[in-house]
């Protein structure tokens, strides 16, 4: 018998993976959570039917959401991730030698626990890393209560449906701005330039209302809708394109991000550039 998982990414297109088994399913207070074993991409974390990460391609998204901002800031000592309960973004953040503290603020404790159990290579930094603090808390509440505290804030959210809707609002980006120090930087995952052009445009405009330097960049993630994914960076002071190449920190374990990719990711094909 063949077992297949399909995410219907739009009403007209989906991604289908042959699987060997379902490792875990549950309904948490926030969402439906599953971990399945795919043949092509290894273990896969699925929330509300949407692929969040897979063992085989997670490095692209996690390196790219973390290292671009960390290398734009000259001294990223205190960093926060909102969402990102699988731990992949935190794992990348603690690779950076200047990071002293990385705080994960995830609303759904079950995502953290299930990731630790079934995706240990992704969740590794959530299991006793001295630089990491894990907080099960609403990110919106957290930014309101922590003003002027962070050097870098990374919004590693799900799609803007369900628990993450507010994480794409102008008011939230303003709270993120206020939670950053005077020279802070934020990054948000902002979806597919093929399928979610409105989301990209709206996020860019909303982030740009708060941050004087706003830039869109992209990476290729095979298991996400269309395989092309964007990130939007908002910065109070430092421009990611003004970074000196020789100052860029590249961990030897990186599989995607390097000093060339740092700049190349901002070189947008026309169909992406025209969105913003
Ligand atoms: N968060 C963004 C995943 C969005 C994928 N969308 C989809 N499959 N329709 C990923 C979290 C990884 N730490």
């Amino acid at each position: 018998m063949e077992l297949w998982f399909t995410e219907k990414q739009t009403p007209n297109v989906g991604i289908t993976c042959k699987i060997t088994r379902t490792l875990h399913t549950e309904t948490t207070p926030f969402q439906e959570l599953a971990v399945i074993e795919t043949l092509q991409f290894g273990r896969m974390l699925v929330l509300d039917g949407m692929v969040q990460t897979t063992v085989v391609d997670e490095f692209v998204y996690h390196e790219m959401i973390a290292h671009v901002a960390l290398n734009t800031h000259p001294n990223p000592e205190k960093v926060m991730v909102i969402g990102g309960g699988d731990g992949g973004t935190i794992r990348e953040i603690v690779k950076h030698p200047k990071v002293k503290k990385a705080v994960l603020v995830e609303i759904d404790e079950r995502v953290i626990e299930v990731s630790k159990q079934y995706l240990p290579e992704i969740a590794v930094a959530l299991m006793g890393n001295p630089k990491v603090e894990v907080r099960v808390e609403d990110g919106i509440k957290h930014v309101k209560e922590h003003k002027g505290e962070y050097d870098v804030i990374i919004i590693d959210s799900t799609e803007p449906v369900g628990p993450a809707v507010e994480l794409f609002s102008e008011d939230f980006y303003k709270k993120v701005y206020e939670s950053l120090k005077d020279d802070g930087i934020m990054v948000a995952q902002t979806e597919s330039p093929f399928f979610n052009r409105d989301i990209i445009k709206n996020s860019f405009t909303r982030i740009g209302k708060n941050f004087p330097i706003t830039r869109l960049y992209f990476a290729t993630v095979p298991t996400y809708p269309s395989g092309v994914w964007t990130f939007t960076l908002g910065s109070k002071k430092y421009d990611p394109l003004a970074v000196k190449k020789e100052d860029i920190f590249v961990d030897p374990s990186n599989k995607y991000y390097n000093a060339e990719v740092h700049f190349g990711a901002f070189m947008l094909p026309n169909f992406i550039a025209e969105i913003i």
Side-chain angles (χ1 to χ4, degrees), residues 61 65 153-157 167-168 173 186-191 203 207 217 230-234:
Y61 176 93
I65 203 170
I153 295 178
I154 295 177
I155 304 161
D156 183 7
S157 70
L167 302 182
F168 289 77
Y173 295 133
M186 65 149 280
V187 177
Q189 73 87 1
T190 46
E191 312 276 316
S203 306
I207 291 168
Y217 65 94
T230 67
F231 304 88
T232 306
L233 180 147

Side-chain angles (χ1 to χ4, degrees), residues 21-24 33-38 41-47 50-59 62 84-91 106 109-127 156 223-224:
R21 61 196 169 130
T22 302
L23 294 157
H24 187 86
L33 189 170
V35 181
I36 55 184
E37 179 91 53
T38 74
F41 292 105
R43 291 186 177 189
M44 173 184 272
L45 175 69
V46 183
L47 294 176
M50 290 176 268
V51 178
Q52 296 304 309
T53 200
T54 81
V55 166
V56 169
D57 73 351
E58 57 91 7
F59 67 91
H62 291 131
D86 54 75
T89 302
I90 288 277
R91 182 198 61 205
E106 162 65 57
E109 183 171 23
R110 294 303 301 153
V111 176
I112 299 171
E113 294 309 317
V114 166
S115 300
K116 287 201 264 191
Q117 188 175 352
Y118 294 103
L119 304 165
E121 56 279 81
I122 300 175
V124 55
L126 306 181
M127 298 185 271
D156 183 7
T223 57
Y224 287 175

Side-chain angles (χ1 to χ4, degrees), residues 68-74 185 238-249 257 259 262-263:
V68 175
L70 295 175
N71 279 296
T72 300
H73 197 293
I185 302 176
Y238 310 111
D239 186 342
L241 294 173
V243 171
K244 286 207 205 84
K245 203 172 172 186
E246 58 273 22
D247 291 341
I248 291 180
F249 167 75
Y257 179 84
H262 177 95
F263 299 102

Side-chain angles (χ1 to χ4, degrees), residues 95-143:
K95 282 183 185 173
H96 198 283
K98 288 192 175 148
V99 172
K100 292 195 172 137
K101 177 147 201 178
V103 183
L104 179 81
V105 180
E106 162 65 57
I107 200 166
D108 193 341
E109 183 171 23
R110 294 303 301 153
V111 176
I112 299 171
E113 294 309 317
V114 166
S115 300
K116 287 201 264 191
Q117 188 175 352
Y118 294 103
L119 304 165
E121 56 279 81
I122 300 175
V124 55
L126 306 181
M127 298 185 271
N129 186 303
K131 288 183 187 173
V132 175
E133 180 185 335
V134 178
R135 301 177 73 123
V136 178
E137 204 182 321
D138 180 353
I140 297 164
K141 179 170 161 281
H142 186 89
V143 288

